[in-house]
Amino acid sequence: MKIGTKAIHAGVEPEPVTGAIMTPIFQTSTYVQKGPGEHTGYEYARTQNPTRDALQASLAALENGKFGLCFGSGMAATDAVMKTLLPGDEVIASNDLYGGTYRLFTKVFERYGMKFHFVDMQDVENVRAAMTDKTRMIWVETPTNPMLNIVDIEAVCGLAKGAGVKVCVDNTFASPYLQSPLDLGADLVLHSATKYLGGHSDTVLGGVVTSDAALHEQLAFHQNASGAVPGPQDCFLILRGIKTLHVRMQRHCENGRAIAEYLKSHDRVGEVHWPGFESHPNHDVAKRQMRDFGGMLSFSLKDDTMEAAAELMKSTKLFALAESLGGVESLIGHPATMTHASIPLAERKKTGVVDSLIRVSVGIEDVGDLIGDLKMALANSAKYATVR
Ligand SMILES: *Cc1c(COP(=O)(O)O)cnc(C)c1O
């Protein structure tokens, strides 16, 4: 099955009692047993729920994996993956990680005696250099936020294979439509389904997929033991979102390309970070491991001031100023004051997060309207231009 068919059919069967074609929301905490220990496979809803089961099977199929597990959020899924490790274990992670992941690693798991090395994974040699005999996991995020850097998943997995190290790829930015990390050698794929999988900015949920039965068993144990499970209504909403994943992603990619090209042609725009440009430093890797280049991009202004960026972001009417990404509606954000505010200025600038850097999650509205909105906002902010 191709992804468009899987998105609609994988994991879902008509409900056996009534024939309901859509998986019902099984809003129940427990299931009646015929006799002691004589149950249908469903005993208690933290452990099993049919709506969640359907979503888990759908996610596994989308990622070409054997097993899927869902959690109350992307962070809860990450938490479960980290609990498969032990004190003393070391993890190598991308240095421009999602902020919540960085916080969970450094503020929670470091307290339990785990060690994290953060490296620039655009150069795989940096990963090799950070490996020790205690390395147990490599945590990859690609494309990265907000610079849209690309990490060569296959090359990283090549380093890990012989060394008994597991590779987990956070595939949130790409979605299964653009990238299949398990096919490139990864052991685990993680999702914040809150973003593209759900696609409508109305649900928080996370998922993990693997084909490794032993890893799956450990994760399923933690899913039940720690209990960070999503409710059935949230599972239903993500399942519903997934049915249009391929159609939405196609439009996100088309609109993303058109907006990247428009911005590049604008005389007040500095750099445009989008992996589809041949000039992008990791374009060749992106072309090899991704099916298209997505709807996430960021750009700076030539007059690199907070004021110009702020005026631009306050001026847009269609691009809403908000955190998050991956919904049908376009969002605009300012990493320097929003997602990356806690990072010192010098550090921030080193990784390219300059004062005027603006991140855009391109939605699936009419692209002419979106470009018109940006054109107007760029004109509005020109009064702050220092470079003319
Ligand atoms: C949003 C996000 C997360 C966290 O997911 P939540 O569902 O918000 O907990 C993790 N990784 C990436 C790349 C994200 O964008």
Side-chain angles (χ1 to χ4, degrees):
M1 265 195 279
K2 293 281 192 326
I3 191 151
T5 313
K6 281 189 200 170
I8 292 167
H9 294 288
V12 296
E13 296 286 343
E15 193 274 322
V17 175
T18 62
I21 191 160
M22 288 301 145
T23 311
I25 302 167
F26 283 89
Q27 193 75 50
T28 187
S29 63
T30 191
Y31 310 87
V32 176
Q33 307 193 4
K34 283 206 178 68
E38 221 185 301
H39 55 76
T40 58
Y42 293 94
E43 296 157 274
Y44 183 63
R46 172 165 28 79
T47 322
Q48 314 102 346
N49 178 286
T51 319
R52 193 174 89 207
D53 283 352
L55 175 59
Q56 293 183 154
S58 168
L59 258 188
L62 288 174
E63 284 292 1
N64 302 332
K66 289 198 182 123
F67 314 102
L69 288 170
C70 291
F71 294 85
S73 68
M75 291 323 305
T78 304
D79 181 80
V81 172
M82 284 299 121
K83 282 175 178 162
T84 65
L85 303 178
L86 293 169
D89 287 353
E90 296 187 9
V91 177
I92 304 170
S94 319
N95 65 351
D96 48 358
L97 217 50
Y98 174 72
T101 307
Y102 180 80
R103 177 175 58 200
L104 183 70
F105 288 179
T106 57
K107 297 267 162 68
V108 178
F109 284 99
E110 271 186 4
R111 291 172 53 224
Y112 293 93
M114 286 163 52
K115 199 167 165 193
F116 295 87
H117 301 276
F118 298 97
V119 305
D120 179 356
M121 287 196 184
Q122 288 176 85
D123 183 354
V124 180
E125 284 312 309
N126 293 334
V127 178
R128 192 198 302 275
M131 284 176 77
T132 74
D133 59 356
K134 298 208 173 89
T135 308
R136 294 290 175 272
M137 185 170 286
I138 303 177
W139 190 277
V140 179
E141 207 179 292
T142 180
T144 66
N145 175 35
M147 298 310 294
L148 281 300
N149 293 324
I150 305 292
V151 178
D152 187 336
I153 297 172
E154 208 167 11
V156 170
C157 293
L159 286 182
K161 277 289 164 294
V165 174
K166 304 288 186 200
V167 177
C168 181
V169 177
D170 181 338
N171 207 24
T172 301
F173 262 47
S175 90
Y177 177 84
L178 292 180
Q179 180 169 282
S180 303
L182 296 182
D183 295 348
L184 299 168
D187 302 281
L188 294 154
V189 180
L190 184 123
H191 276 286
S192 168
T194 314
K195 318 293 168 51
Y196 283 109
L197 288 171
H200 295 73
S201 306
D202 54 10
T203 315
V204 173
L205 193 143
V208 188
V209 177
T210 183
S211 288
D212 180 328
L215 255 181
H216 169 70
E217 207 174 302
Q218 281 187 65
L219 289 165
F221 172 82
H222 290 297
Q223 183 195 41
N224 183 52
S226 296
V229 293
Q233 168 127 5
D234 287 347
C235 293
F236 174 87
L237 285 168
I238 300 295
L239 260 178
R240 165 185 260 235
I242 284 173
K243 291 185 199 296
T244 54
L245 177 71
H246 52 302
V247 184
R248 287 184 284 109
M249 287 310 295
Q250 192 179 351
R251 184 61 65 84
H252 280 298
C253 291
E254 284 168 22
N255 285 3
R257 173 182 296 275
I259 286 176
E261 281 167 0
Y262 168 72
L263 289 169
K264 201 176 185 182
S265 72
H266 197 285
D267 60 4
R268 280 194 47 243
V269 172
E271 283 192 65
V272 182
H273 309 284
W274 180 66
F277 287 134
E278 269 179 38
S279 57
H280 184 285
N282 323 114
H283 176 69
D284 288 345
V285 181
K287 224 166 65 179
R288 204 170 348 111
Q289 74 185 16
M290 297 172 74
R291 297 180 191 97
D292 204 337
F293 304 107
M296 294 302 300
L297 57 93
S298 61
F299 64 100
S300 60
L301 299 176
K302 280 186 184 149
D303 33 286
D304 180 33
T305 64
M306 291 267 188
E307 290 77 13
E311 187 66 21
L312 189 156
M313 286 178 284
K314 278 193 272 182
S315 300
T316 54
K317 297 274 186 279
L318 293 175
F319 286 85
L321 181 60
E323 311 253 359
S324 199
L325 61 117
V328 290
E329 71 294 328
S330 293
L331 298 180
I332 196 162
H334 189 223
T337 54
M338 293 164 76
T339 48
H340 290 59
S342 59
I343 302 169
L345 179 70
E347 273 308 302
R348 210 169 27 77
K349 289 199 167 162
K350 241 189 273 170
T351 57
V353 185
V354 294
D355 286 348
S356 71
L357 191 80
I358 293 168
R359 191 192 80 172
V360 175
S361 170
V362 180
I364 62 171
E365 301 95 332
D366 179 89
V367 74
D369 287 340
L370 292 179
I371 288 173
D373 200 36
L374 288 174
K375 188 173 180 182
M376 177 273 292
L378 276 157
N380 259 1
S381 67
K383 57 180 176 260
Y384 289 100
T386 51
V387 181
R388 285 178 204 272

